[in-house]
Amino acid sequence: MSDIRVRIAPSPTGPLHLGTARTALFNFLFARHTGGTFIFRLEDTDQARSTEAYELDIINGLHWLGIRWDEGPGVAGGTEHGTYGPYRQMQRLERYTEAATRLLAEDKAYYCYCTPEELDAERKRQEAAHESPRYSGHCARLTASERVAFEAAGRLPVVRFRIPPNRTIAFDDIIRGHVEIETSALGGDLVIVRSDGTPLYHFTVAVDDAAMAISHVIRGEDHLSNTPKHILLFEALGSAIPQFAHLPLILNADRSKMSKRKSQTAVAAYRAEGFIPEAFVNYLALLGWSTGTEEEVLSSAELIERFELSAVNSSGAVFSRDRLEWLNGQWIRRLSATDLIDRLRPFVQAELDAGRIDWLPADDELRALLPVVQERLPTLAAVGELIGFLFVDNLDPDVAALVPKRWDAATTAAALTAARQTIAEVGRVAWEADEIEPPLRQLVEDRGWKAGDLFMAIRVAVTGRTATPPLFDMMVALGYERTLARLDRAIEKLAAQAGPTP
Ligand code: GLU
């Protein structure tokens, strides 16, 4: 067993974000590739915002993606496994208290009695003087009697960790290379424990990473500026400093940071749209990493085999919905018929629940459609858009959509009437796509029409849409009687629109 130990440490303060899923995946791939251990730890100290529902969403989302951990909570609120637990920070509070007590005893931290109002006034002064905000160090050297006086006045202290004023913290990031950050840019001595005794993120993350023997911290680039604080804390705690790998940010197409305000970031929303986990994992892996070849469609096993942390790009990874849909389509095509039907079921059911279809097709009906449907599905949810018209009792096609550009309502009604007759004749003998098409093409030629015009009018009449899988296959799926009935209905509507024939 390698001593590589990595972790994902989400806060259950929101649904699983695709950035968190990508970070989890890269940690998982790295651990599996190197034979290391992957740990899941919940950073749930923000009690006001943490919920069990979010915890469940995060765990379920990662499980859906096939991301499994070797140590950590099983299901939300449930039992955990691993020898470095507990894996929920709220159950580790005495460890933080113990570490804080140690730092205080060694004078690496001190009690600070400044009130929020005083700190606020300090910040405003700094802002007015165009200085960057930092703690002045007011309480850094209090005497025992000054402390007693503050306590007597009822002030509750926070614990601040001493940040050395003039040091350069340097580290070699596996992705970003050599990084140097001046301690003067860190905002002064850092609050590690609030006045109510609860510990803060920078502190808990360092205490836990040390206690859990984390060897590599792989996380988003937004944490890069936090790393010097963590390094100083590791030093102060006498712990080994892990290696760092900061993953590039995920960006919108305009290169702005992808945030939940501007974009769809919840993994569950993609799942609800019918992205399949094989594709989603594949896509996330390519957000910032590539094999260095043209190959894009990779299974989890292939990703594990090929993944190299050092090959992750340092520049931002632009999220492309088109590419995700393309990959999803590729993965949908690879599914067996039975598997695809199983996965489509809930989406077909949703069409029924939403009143967009009138009945549920049988498995055999769906199976018969797969040859033309499977390669056209960008997502599972697109099934309604693609073939929902087959499972409705009545269509009410829009006259404007029925009439091709070069025709008017009367011409279209006449053309559809002729086409109906042709279809009725062939259909009586053989109701097959190959049999329906040639006589219709003959009709087009005899009348000097454009095939596109007639076929579009037929398409809208029988499907209600301007874009569908191959028209004649759809007519066959719809059935002889229903096709004719829909043509009749369209002809009727057109005739009404055209008025009495002169
Ligand atoms: N709770 C932090 C986050 O989700 C963890 C950051 C870290 O990996 O250190 O951003």
Side-chain angles (χ1 to χ4, degrees):
M1 191 83 185
S2 108
D3 19 312
I4 287 181
R5 292 176 56 82
V6 294
R7 88 299 190 274
I8 175 81
S11 302
T13 52
L16 178 64
H17 186 286
L18 64 91
T20 309
R22 198 259 322 239
T23 302
L25 177 65
F26 280 27
N27 274 280
F28 170 78
L29 294 176
F30 179 67
R32 292 291 172 270
H33 181 80
T34 56
T37 303
F38 176 46
I39 294 137
F40 181 104
R41 179 174 77 219
L42 275 164
E43 304 213 325
D44 56 354
T45 54
D46 184 347
Q47 283 292 286
R49 291 168 58 228
S50 295
T51 71
E52 197 169 303
Y54 288 141
E55 190 179 318
L56 193 62
D57 184 81
I58 292 168
I59 293 178
N60 283 347
L62 293 175
H63 279 174
W64 175 66
L65 292 169
I67 298 174
R68 297 279 138 67
W69 37 95
D70 307 302
E71 296 176 20
V75 288
T79 50
E80 42 182 49
H81 44 277
T83 50
Y84 290 77
Y87 296 92
R88 286 183 173 80
Q89 290 189 327
M90 281 310 282
Q91 293 169 15
R92 303 177 61 80
L93 293 179
E94 71 269 32
R95 288 165 170 83
Y96 312 125
T97 307
E98 187 270 322
T101 308
R102 195 146 52 86
L103 293 180
L104 283 164
E106 293 170 3
D107 196 34
K108 292 171 179 165
Y110 58 88
Y111 287 113
C112 165
Y113 295 87
C114 294
T115 61
E117 296 73 33
E118 286 164 352
L119 294 172
D120 214 41
E122 182 171 281
R123 217 194 45 244
K124 291 210 175 97
R125 223 170 24 247
Q126 288 164 341
E127 265 168 28
H130 303 290
E131 291 166 13
S132 40
R134 67 193 323 273
Y135 178 61
S136 63
H138 181 265
C139 295
R141 304 278 162 217
L142 292 182
T143 62
S145 58
E146 284 170 322
R147 280 194 54 194
V148 170
F150 278 133
E151 303 265 347
R155 291 195 183 200
L156 287 175
V158 300
V159 178
R160 279 190 194 269
F161 172 66
R162 294 189 195 280
I163 301 279
N166 297 311
R167 247 186 81 183
T168 306
I169 306 294
F171 58 97
D172 290 306
D173 188 283
I174 295 170
I175 295 166
R176 313 190 58 82
H178 191 72
V179 178
E180 287 190 359
I181 297 178
E182 301 299 323
T183 54
S184 56
L186 301 183
D189 296 342
L190 180 72
V191 180
I192 56 173
V193 182
R194 293 187 190 90
S195 57
D196 65 3
T198 55
L200 278 122
Y201 161 70
H202 297 298
F203 183 49
T204 57
V205 80
V207 170
D208 288 343
D209 283 344
M212 295 181 181
I214 298 302
S215 63
H216 294 71
V217 170
I218 305 168
R219 62 183 170 199
E221 191 188 303
D222 43 334
H223 285 290
L224 188 65
S225 59
N226 295 332
T227 298
K229 296 174 187 166
H230 303 171
I231 290 177
L232 289 168
L233 280 160
F234 286 123
E235 282 180 6
L237 294 164
S239 311
I241 296 169
Q243 292 200 59
F244 292 94
H246 287 93
L247 307 175
L249 294 180
I250 302 176
L251 307 175
N252 291 310
D254 64 3
R255 299 198 73 84
S256 61
K257 189 180 164 191
M258 199 168 183
S259 70
K260 63 170 180 253
R261 273 177 300 281
K262 281 175 76 180
S263 336
Q264 175 169 299
T265 56
V267 170
Y270 289 92
R271 182 179 182 176
E273 280 189 81
F275 286 96
I276 66 172
E278 293 90 333
F280 207 74
V281 158
N282 190 165
Y283 184 68
L284 287 179
L286 298 177
L287 272 178
W289 174 76
S290 77
T291 55
T293 68
E294 300 281 287
E295 285 165 278
E296 288 189 282
V297 185
L298 298 160
S299 68
S300 286
E302 288 167 321
L303 292 172
I304 288 170
E305 192 187 313
R306 310 261 194 107
F307 185 76
E308 291 294 343
L309 200 49
S310 55
V312 173
N313 230 304
S314 60
S315 56
V318 175
F319 182 87
S320 158
R321 166 104 192 177
D322 288 348
R323 195 161 173 230
L324 172 60
E325 282 190 6
W326 177 81
L327 260 182
N328 203 49
Q330 296 296 315
W331 275 104
I332 286 176
R333 284 172 212 196
R334 285 166 165 74
L335 300 177
S336 71
T338 310
D339 188 2
L340 178 54
I341 289 168
D342 283 348
R343 298 201 208 201
L344 284 173
R345 274 275 153 231
F347 292 90
V348 178
Q349 180 69 48
E351 291 298 302
L352 183 71
D353 296 344
R356 288 190 291 267
I357 59 175
D358 296 321
W359 71 88
L360 285 177
D363 280 0
D364 285 350
E365 258 176 288
L366 283 178
R367 190 181 298 268
L369 289 164
L370 289 189
V372 288
V373 164
Q374 189 157 10
E375 65 190 48
R376 288 183 168 78
L377 281 173
T379 63
L380 298 174
V383 67
E385 189 64 29
L386 212 54
I387 52 170
F389 59 83
L390 294 172
F391 315 114
V392 295
D393 290 318
N394 296 307
L395 267 194
D396 192 26
D398 177 20
V399 175
L402 277 168
V403 180
K405 272 200 201 69
R406 278 180 285 260
W407 291 355
D408 59 16
T411 318
T412 311
L416 282 182
T417 306
R420 187 220 189 267
Q421 197 176 343
T422 306
I423 293 167
E425 276 162 26
V426 263
R428 249 195 304 275
V429 185
W431 191 236
E432 279 163 36
D434 290 353
E435 299 293 332
I436 305 167
E437 185 170 351
L440 283 176
R441 289 209 178 267
Q442 188 60 52
L443 176 68
V444 162
E445 207 184 303
D446 294 347
R447 303 290 175 99
W449 296 331
K450 295 246 179 316
D453 289 341
L454 180 67
F455 293 175
M456 182 54 82
I458 298 176
R459 187 186 303 274
V460 175
V462 300
T463 71
R465 309 183 173 279
T466 51
T468 62
L471 174 60
F472 305 109
D473 289 308
M474 291 301 101
M475 287 166 54
V476 171
L478 190 62
Y480 179 67
E481 305 289 344
R482 293 175 69 210
T483 299
L484 294 185
R486 286 187 182 186
L487 285 167
D488 289 341
R489 168 91 186 114
I491 293 164
E492 222 174 86
K493 283 195 85 172
L494 286 164
Q497 168 97 7
T501 30

